[in-house]
Structure formats: structure tokens, C-alpha cells
Amino acid sequence: MEKELGAKNLVQFRLTGTPDGNLLVSFYQLDVFNEKAVNWHIAGLLVDNKLGARVLYEGNLSNNTAYQTAISNLLERVNVYVNCVRIEKVN
């Protein structure tokens, strides 16, 4: 993921036993100037088919509605600057 997005400060956690199964939660920083630019960048990845069906959410932290409580709890453990999150199903 880091290579595809040009992401920095990548921090990952696993969530197990969720209604969607096991999840990999990746927090990262995208070097873009504002929230709208992050969303457009990620929309471009969707159009280019670089995000698969296993990705439940990818985008700005502020726009995330998936597993909000769990994401907030995990975010408290991240001690670098991040502005995006990716939540994907894993085996």
C-alpha cells in the first residue's frame, strides 16, 4: 500500500472477531494539501482498480463511519501524524 499511495507514517493493527471477520486497519499520512485532495486521490485509486472489494473503507479519518469506536481506540495508540485510514478484510 505504501508504494501505491506515497503514504508515510504507516501504522497497522489487526481487529479480530468483527461482523466482517478479521480486519487490517492501516493508518497513514498522505502528503496532500487538504481533505478534499485526499478524497480525490483515493477516488482515483478506485477508478484505476487499485483498491479491491476487500477494502471496506479508505479515506480521511474524519469521514470514516466504519467501526468508529474501534478506530478511535486504535488511533489513541498511534503516536505519529496520520490523516487517513484503510480498513480491509483479511484471512
Side-chain angles (χ1 to χ4, degrees), residues 8-11 27 29 75 77-83:
K8 297 192 300 188
N9 297 337
L10 180 65
V11 180
F27 294 102
Q29 174 190 355
L75 192 54
R77 298 168 54 191
V78 175
N79 55 7
V80 293
Y81 176 76
V82 293
N83 59 359

Side-chain angles (χ1 to χ4, degrees), residues 34-40 42 56-68 71 83-85 87:
N34 64 31
E35 188 175 312
K36 189 181 253 186
V38 170
N39 291 338
W40 277 109
I42 292 170
L56 301 176
Y57 176 80
E58 180 151 11
N60 278 320
L61 281 167
S62 59
N63 294 339
N64 177 47
T65 58
Y67 297 98
Q68 287 179 317
I71 298 304
N83 59 359
C84 297
V85 63
I87 304 168

Side-chain angles (χ1 to χ4, degrees), residues 5-91:
L5 295 173
K8 297 192 300 188
N9 297 337
L10 180 65
V11 180
Q12 295 182 312
F13 298 96
R14 285 193 176 268
L15 287 179
T16 58
T18 73
D20 291 311
N22 296 332
L23 304 177
L24 178 63
V25 178
S26 304
F27 294 102
Y28 60 94
Q29 174 190 355
L30 264 186
D31 268 344
V32 291
F33 56 92
N34 64 31
E35 188 175 312
K36 189 181 253 186
V38 170
N39 291 338
W40 277 109
H41 179 79
I42 292 170
L45 293 175
L46 286 169
V47 169
D48 292 341
N49 242 356
K50 291 186 179 177
L51 299 179
R54 300 182 69 107
V55 177
L56 301 176
Y57 176 80
E58 180 151 11
N60 278 320
L61 281 167
S62 59
N63 294 339
N64 177 47
T65 58
Y67 297 98
Q68 287 179 317
T69 303
I71 298 304
S72 294
N73 290 339
L74 291 174
L75 192 54
E76 290 176 8
R77 298 168 54 191
V78 175
N79 55 7
V80 293
Y81 176 76
V82 293
N83 59 359
C84 297
V85 63
R86 177 181 183 139
I87 304 168
E88 60 188 304
K89 295 180 186 181
V90 293
N91 295 331

